[in-house]
Amino acid sequence: MRRARLQGRIWRVDGFRAALWLLAGLLLSGPLANGACAGDVRIAVAANFTQAAREIGAAFQAATGNRPIFSFGSTGQLYAQITQDAPFEVFLAADQARPRKAVENGLALGDSRFTYATGKITLFSKMRDLVAGEATLRDGRFTRLAIANPDTAPYGAAAVAAIKALGLYQALKPKIVQGNNIAQTYQFVATGNAELGFVALSQVIDKAGGSRWAVPEHLYRPIAQDAVLTRRGADSETARAFLVFLRGPEARAVKEKYGYGAGD
Amino acid sequence: MLEVTELWPPIRLTLELAAITTVLLLLLGTPIAWWLARSTARWKEVVAAVVALPLVLPPTVLGFYLLIALGPDGPGGWIAGLFGGRSLAFTFEGLVIGSVFYSMPFVVQPIRNAFEAFGDRPLEVAATLRAAPWDSFWTVAVPLARPGFVTGAVLGFAHTVGEFGVVLMIGGNIPGETKVLSVAIFEHVETLRWAEAHILAGGLLVFAFAVILTMMLLQRRMARLEP
């Protein structure tokens, strides 16, 4: 008798939880009903290009009336989603390898692929006097160095390439922490949890203060970033129009503002 | 291709994290559950609600606050400073702190329910037999609440094993330190190493099923053992 009551109570917490889920579901059904409609274009964007994509997207919407809907993530993450038929019509990667692979696997249209930007990495710290060139890395007077996951994020791979070119990989390895993408990497540095980190130039170009080192280009290969029209976007006029817009003068101005090379 | 030896460190790390978290939660959660069960304070449900918050909040909320709290400007940074560090983020200790918050309701709630279930009577009887409160807690309350402790420990352990969002936000993906099972699976999926992902994910699936089944069978047995 007593046991039965106890059991009932143990499971009551789950009934309470179910009720909360129901409430959450009701609250969420609002935004979900507000889905995409004709004239919208769904675009997967590598995290380093977040700010630039937002500005280019706003200009595109002002010029054409079509609304771009962005999803930001690491290039690897977005690519994995595209292999599983994610609803993206355009893929703005942070490398050339994934768009090429998407074309090879029939997930994207080969003739649509082009380099929309070339990105650079910067060693950045929120602290004013910390970063003073490669000597900072050699001295190693810090506890945590943030980079993006080199397996999924090309900016992380570029950071590893630069560290290896300096011959410091073994020495710095115990201090490295990885962000899931370059946006999280910057967040680690911005919150001060890591004293410094390799971030995208575009992320810090408009930030005053801190200390930084523009990693010289003989230490890594500036990151050529390719755009491609996915199979999902093959029949979308808006998606094609966005890719044209991405090569145009307005987009070029935004890219320059964020420190990107203009690409093809 | 498939490196089986690479699969083991995240599993070991996850089991360590879950074991330490469970022990800490039993130590911390028992007095909280006791107070929630016995206190007549009006605002005790406010405390109960705070403990239950992780049931409702997305792990990103907890992860966001933890990232700040563990950092150099928060209490975590201060604690890390005592040991020569500057942040508890990206450390195993940081994950333990996050997991304790995250899994707290799963331990406190069953223990509280168990304490409440036997009512005042056994403790009153113990008191008339001149048992000191401390005595009757250990010799009467804890044995009577045993099913609650078992349920709480099992749920707390299992929930910590399944933790993902918080770890992703405060972990920094360091092998052997913060790269737990769920994060390793996430990375395998992202990098299209699906053979590894399948092994680990399938293993977790079996584990979760075994935990839930064991708990249900245990509860049934305990219900049958006592009148």
Side-chain angles (χ1 to χ4, degrees), chain A residues 1-3 5-7 9-11 13 16-17 20 74 76-77 79-80 83-84 101 126-127 143-144 149 151-152 176-178 180 184 187-188 191-195, chain B residues 55-56 67 70-73 86-87 89-91 106 109 113-114 116-117 144 147 151 168-169 172-174 186-187 189-194 215 219 222-223 226-227:
Chain A
M1 184 60 211
R2 185 210 304 149
R3 239 0 94 174
R5 203 174 68 199
L6 172 62
Q7 220 173 358
R9 281 182 179 233
I10 286 169
W11 291 108
V13 64
F16 177 62
R17 201 182 181 193
L20 289 166
S74 73
Q77 177 189 355
Y79 178 73
T83 64
Q84 297 308 299
K101 219 160 135 190
K126 209 175 62 160
M127 294 175 226
T143 53
R144 298 291 188 196
N149 186 334
D151 290 332
T152 58
I176 289 178
V177 294
Q178 293 178 4
N180 176 47
Q184 197 188 21
Q187 167 218 314
F188 286 163
T191 55
N193 280 300
E195 295 105 306
Chain B
L55 290 178
V56 183
L67 193 66
L70 297 178
D73 303 324
R86 54 185 300 285
S87 165
F90 321 129
T91 63
F106 292 85
Q109 193 61 38
N113 291 341
E116 281 175 348
L144 280 175
T151 308
L168 191 71
M169 286 188 75
N173 198 20
I174 305 169
F186 180 66
E187 196 183 86
V189 174
E190 305 256 283
T191 50
L192 304 177
R193 288 194 293 254
W194 288 1
M215 214 177 64
Q219 282 191 342
M222 284 189 288
E226 302 194 20

Side-chain angles (χ1 to χ4, degrees), chain A residues 14-32:
Chain A
D14 289 45
F16 177 62
R17 201 182 181 193
L20 289 166
W21 275 116
L22 191 68
L23 183 70
L26 288 173
L27 291 172
L28 274 173
S29 58
L32 279 181

Side-chain angles (χ1 to χ4, degrees), chain A residues 104-161:
Chain A
E104 279 167 18
N105 292 328
L107 301 164
L109 280 64
D111 56 358
S112 68
R113 188 168 68 86
F114 71 98
T115 303
Y116 66 94
T118 51
K120 295 170 188 143
I121 54 172
T122 297
L123 185 63
F124 181 78
S125 171
K126 209 175 62 160
M127 294 175 226
R128 201 145 31 99
D129 305 318
L130 186 65
V131 176
E134 66 175 75
T136 308
L137 291 173
R138 289 199 191 284
D139 295 348
R141 272 188 232 117
F142 49 83
T143 53
R144 298 291 188 196
L145 169 68
I147 67 171
N149 186 334
D151 290 332
T152 58
Y155 278 74
V160 169

Side-chain angles (χ1 to χ4, degrees), chain B residues 83-107:
Chain B
F83 304 95
R86 54 185 300 285
S87 165
L88 280 181
F90 321 129
T91 63
F92 184 76
E93 292 77 9
L95 290 197
V96 170
I97 293 173
S99 305
V100 163
F101 282 109
Y102 186 59
S103 296
M104 178 87 79
F106 292 85
V107 177

